Amino acid sequence: MTEPTPDDSRVIAVMRLSGARFNSEGMPADALVEVAAFEDILRSLVRLYWRDRHPGRKRMPNGYDDEITLRLTAIGEGSAVPVLEHDATLRADDLFGPDEIKEDFARAIDALEQFVNYGYSDKGQIPDDIRRLPSNKMKKFGQTIRKGEAIQVAATVPDSWDAVTRFTPDARRNALVTLVGNFTQRVTVEGQVIDFRVSSGSLVVRDREHKADILVPYLESGVRASIDSAKQLFECVAEGVGEFNADGKLTKLTTVTSLDVTDVTEDARVVRAALDALADLDDGWLDGESGEAISQAVIERGHAVIDTMIALSNITRTVSPTEDGGVSFFWPDAENQLSIEVEPSGALYIHTTDLAAGTFADDKIASDAVDLVDTLDTWLSEVTGE
């Protein structure tokens, strides 16, 4: 990794990204958006300061944006340490006063440092300068940082980063909730599509992990879903930037980086039809004497199990009657030999077997259990074979 040798007269700002991802040489490409967000905040504040000094001017003077351009000149040692410099060649004609611009950048860095300090300590106040910026600019700063990582900012490379406040995911959440009432971060949404909103180019996913219905924009993701019937069923996996409210509840995806929508209609149709066919069995269906008829209550309970399979994206087509009047679902390709039996009482009996180890696990779910998604989540999340 190259140790920066910046010209101190040109250095405007330095940031440090720490965590396991940043310990190797160079810098992860997906983290460069943090540099862009950092630079955008500084330049936006400098523009505000210019307007404060020129309240009668409606437009920025020609060339001012070029004049305040910052350049990434080095990635220093000690995790990833991007150094931003003010390009001296752009100051040759002294159009706007280089000293004034440097003072404005110093003020901008100080405001951002106070914002970081507030998020980390929950003491003091968020600077008024930060509150004047559009909220989306502040939301972008730190949104790729993961648990165990942090961002630090300074006007120059410090002797030691230990004394510089760390902008962790928790600090960011605290600061943004105070600033705008919500926060954003990278997230994966996975679950059943419960609504297509064609007019707005979005779909609604009933996400299993976050236990909420999440709005996901799909137009810019190139998704093409052929909807032939209101009875079609779709599963969705979406990655992107999610917006969370002050209570930490995911409400929507603001941007989508990847989106996969799968039609699971056929598997669901087959197993539902197979289950419904079992209702036609009469007493003695097994050998003329054995085999109890299957009640409508058992069939309805079986449909609740199928709905749970759909919600948890693990559908089997294999369903069979049991001799005592129940029905049994079986996953023939599952590594754990999973089976779920609906007993005549409506209770569920779950059984798995580890053939290699010669062990098994089982569980019983009462007939009055309503939320089968939570109850069966662990069992239906088991890895299936190819």
Side-chain angles (χ1 to χ4, degrees), residues 142-159:
Q143 69 182 13
T144 69
I145 298 302
R146 307 169 186 173
K147 184 177 181 180
E149 298 177 350
I151 295 176
Q152 295 162 282
V153 299
T156 59
V157 180
D159 294 333

Side-chain angles (χ1 to χ4, degrees), residues 2-6 15 27 71-76 80-85:
T2 303
E3 178 68 26
T5 55
M15 69 185 299
M27 181 174 173
R71 296 181 182 275
L72 177 61
T73 59
I75 304 294
V81 185
V83 177
L84 297 179
E85 295 186 8

Side-chain angles (χ1 to χ4, degrees), residues 186-312:
R186 290 194 178 275
V187 70
T188 298
V189 169
E190 183 173 359
Q192 183 181 355
V193 178
I194 62 172
D195 190 18
F196 275 96
R197 299 180 180 177
V198 179
S199 61
S200 63
S202 59
L203 51 86
V204 180
V205 179
R206 183 151 291 165
D207 182 77
R208 288 186 284 278
E209 179 181 351
H210 298 94
K211 312 297 183 185
D213 295 343
I214 309 301
L215 190 69
V216 178
Y218 67 81
L219 275 185
E220 297 180 359
S221 304
V223 168
R224 298 291 182 268
S226 177
I227 306 173
D228 301 319
S229 167
K231 295 182 179 179
Q232 276 183 278
L233 299 168
F234 295 91
E235 281 289 312
C236 172
V237 179
E239 296 179 343
V241 176
E243 183 172 286
F244 295 75
N245 64 19
D247 295 326
K249 182 179 180 181
L250 178 64
T251 58
K252 64 181 179 180
L253 291 191
T254 57
T255 59
V256 175
T257 55
S258 70
L259 181 61
D260 184 21
V261 177
T262 305
D263 188 346
V264 296
T265 307
E266 184 62 16
D267 285 337
R269 184 190 66 78
V270 169
V271 70
R272 280 174 170 163
L275 174 65
D276 289 338
L278 298 182
D280 296 332
L281 296 176
D282 295 324
D283 286 339
W285 56 265
L286 184 59
D287 56 10
E289 295 183 2
S290 302
E292 299 289 333
I294 299 172
S295 69
Q296 188 58 39
V298 169
I299 297 297
E300 291 177 1
R301 188 64 162 169
H303 277 296
V305 174
I306 293 174
D307 289 341
T308 304
M309 295 180 200
I310 295 169
L312 296 175

Side-chain angles (χ1 to χ4, degrees), residues 285-360:
W285 56 265
L286 184 59
D287 56 10
E289 295 183 2
S290 302
E292 299 289 333
I294 299 172
S295 69
Q296 188 58 39
V298 169
I299 297 297
E300 291 177 1
R301 188 64 162 169
H303 277 296
V305 174
I306 293 174
D307 289 341
T308 304
M309 295 180 200
I310 295 169
L312 296 175
S313 300
N314 192 351
I315 304 173
T316 181
R317 295 187 176 198
T318 305
V319 57
S320 58
T322 64
E323 185 176 350
D324 60 354
V327 297
S328 178
F329 298 95
F330 179 62
W331 281 255
D333 297 325
E335 294 178 356
N336 62 355
Q337 297 292 294
L338 171 66
S339 66
I340 298 177
E341 181 180 330
V342 181
E343 298 180 342
S345 66
L348 303 182
Y349 175 67
I350 307 157
H351 187 277
T352 63
T353 302
D354 186 335
L355 296 177
T359 59
F360 72 91

